[in-house]
Amino acid sequence: MEDTRRGTVTSLASLFPVEEAQKAANRVQGAMAEKRAELDHLLGFVADNNNLINLVHKLPEELSHEIMVPFGKAAFFPGRLIHTNEFLVLLGEGYYAERTSKQTAEILRRRGKALDSQVDSLEAMIKDLQAEANFFGQTIAEAAEGLVEIREDYIEEDTHGEESKSGPLKQHTSDLEKTEANNEEYTRMVARLDELEKEEELAAESGNDNEIYEQTTEDVGDISYQRHIDSEPHNSEDFHKSVSPVDQSNNKSIATESAEKHHNPDIADQLNFASLDLQSNVGEGKNAAAKKVKFVDHTGKPLIHHEEKTVKATTASKSEVQHQPSQPSFDSHKVCLPFIYIARIHIH
Amino acid sequence: MSSLTSAVRDLQRELENKTNDLSKLQKDIAKNHQVRKKYTVQLGENELVLKELDLLNEDANVYKLIGPVLVKQDLAEANSNVRKRIEYISAELKRLDATVQDLEEKQNSKKDAILKLQQKIQSIQTTKGKA
C-alpha cells in the first residue's frame, strides 16, 4: 500500500568529511589550549595582586622591619626597612606616584577588578570554544558511524480509514493549531461527520446529491464546510457526479458564508485568490500535498487557515478530477484526504 | 608549439613575480597587525595612568622613570604628558588602520590577478595537450 517515497539520502560523511572535521576539531582544541594558558597567566597575576595587597597592609604595622636586602645577583646583607607607610606605586608608562599604604591598597584593588573582568571574558571565550569542540566531536562520531540524512516529501497515506485519519489528523492539529480545545471539538465533529457521511452515501445512491449539498451549504457552522469535503472521497462516482456543481456551489457558499460570518471581506478575497492560485498548481499531484501543507503553516490566523483549507480541498479535488478522470479513486482519495485532514482542525 | 611553450614560460614567470609581491604584502600586513597590537596595549596602559593621576591629591609626588633615574614631576605636567601621549597613540592607530586596509585591498587584487594567470596557464596547457 505504501508508495515509494521520493527523497534524498545524504550521508553525513559527505556533508562533513571526516578528515576536515577532525582538522577543525584540532584547530579548536589548539585555540582552547592557548586561551587556557592565557587564563592561567591572568590567574597568576590575580594571585600576585592579592599577595601584594596583604603585604601592603602588613608593612605599616611596624616602624621598621629587619630584613635581608638583596645585593647584586647572588648576595644579601642585613638591613632595615624604614618609612613603612610610603610607597612609590608604578602607575604605568614609567610614572610613579608616592602613596600611603591605604591608597596603594586602593590602587591595587582597582587593578584587581580590571584583571577579574579580563578573566571573565577569557572564560566566556573558552566556553564558546568548548561548545564548538563538542559539536565537532559529535559530527565526527556521526559521520564515522555512517549516519545518513534522509529528506522525503511528505505524503499522506489512505490506508485504514478512521484510525489512520485520526492519526495524521492529530499530528496536524498538534503541529498547526492549539491542541487542547481542538480535541474536544474534534471528537464532536468526527462523530457528526460520520453521521453525515452515512446520510450522504444513502442520498447519493438515491441520486439526491445536489439537494443535500445545497442544504448543507446553507447550514451555519464550521461543520458545513467539512461536510462537503468529507463527502467527496466516498465513491469516485459520487465524486465525479457531484463535484462540478457542488464545488462551484461550495466555493460560492463558502465565500459568501465567510463574508457574512466573519464580516471580513479580506478573507473572501484571500479565498478566491488562494483557489486561483491552487488551480494553477494542482497538476503537480503529490507534491502539491506537501506544498499546501506548508502554505497552511505560514498563514497566521486560524480562521483563514480553516477556510483556505476547505477551499483548497474543494478546488483541488475538482481540478484533480478534471485532469485525471481516468485515475483510480485511490489516487484522488489520497490527494484530497490531506486537505480533509487539515479541514478537520477546528477554527476557534 | 614553441610559441605556446614560451608563452607558458612567460606567464609562469609573471606568476612567480606576483606571488612574491603577494607574500611581501602579507608580511607587511602581519607587521602592521603587530604594531597595532603594541599600540593598543600602550593606549590601554596610558588610560589607566590617567585615571590614577586624576585620583591623586594636588600635593602628591609624581616621579617619572627616565632610564635609571627617577625624576620628580609636577602633577599637572604629568597629566598633560599622559594626555598628549594618548592622543598620539590614537592618531597612530588610525593611520595604521588606513594602511592595513590599503594593504588588504592590494592583496586581494593581487590574488585575483594570480588566479587569472593560473587559469590562463591551465587553459594553454590543456590546448597544448589536446593539440
Side-chain angles (χ1 to χ4, degrees), chain A residues 156-171 186 190 194 341 344:
Chain A
E156 284 290 335
E157 285 175 16
D158 171 27
T159 47
H160 310 290
E162 307 296 328
E163 293 122 18
S164 65
K165 276 189 205 175
S166 50
L169 259 177
K170 287 211 168 114
Q171 233 186 4
Y186 162 65
V190 166
D194 292 347
Y341 300 157
R344 284 195 188 193

Side-chain angles (χ1 to χ4, degrees), chain A residues 88-99 103 106-108 110-111 114, chain B residues 45-46 49 52-53 55-57 61-65 70 73 78 81-82 85:
Chain A
L88 260 180
V89 188
L90 173 66
L91 305 175
E93 282 287 310
Y95 281 96
Y96 290 80
E98 240 181 353
R99 306 251 81 198
Q103 293 158 337
E106 290 291 313
I107 295 179
L108 288 176
R110 267 176 259 137
R111 264 190 225 160
Chain B
E45 214 182 313
N46 271 300
V49 174
E52 291 289 344
L53 282 178
L55 285 169
L56 282 179
N57 279 333
N61 295 330
V62 176
Y63 300 85
K64 175 135 177 129
L65 187 69
L70 251 191
Q73 280 223 327
N81 280 346
V82 172
R85 191 151 166 78

Side-chain angles (χ1 to χ4, degrees), chain A residues 161-181:
Chain A
E162 307 296 328
E163 293 122 18
S164 65
K165 276 189 205 175
S166 50
L169 259 177
K170 287 211 168 114
Q171 233 186 4
H172 273 294
T173 55
S174 59
D175 287 349
L176 296 171
E177 302 291 340
K178 312 151 200 171
T179 52
E180 297 104 1

Side-chain angles (χ1 to χ4, degrees), chain A residues 32 121-134:
Chain A
M32 264 214 310
S121 69
L122 254 191
E123 279 179 353
M125 284 211 291
I126 288 183
K127 240 182 24 174
D128 289 339
L129 283 176
Q130 189 75 47
E132 240 187 281
N134 284 346

Side-chain angles (χ1 to χ4, degrees), chain A residues 58 71 150 228:
Chain A
K58 248 184 16 167
F71 194 56
I150 307 175
H228 305 150

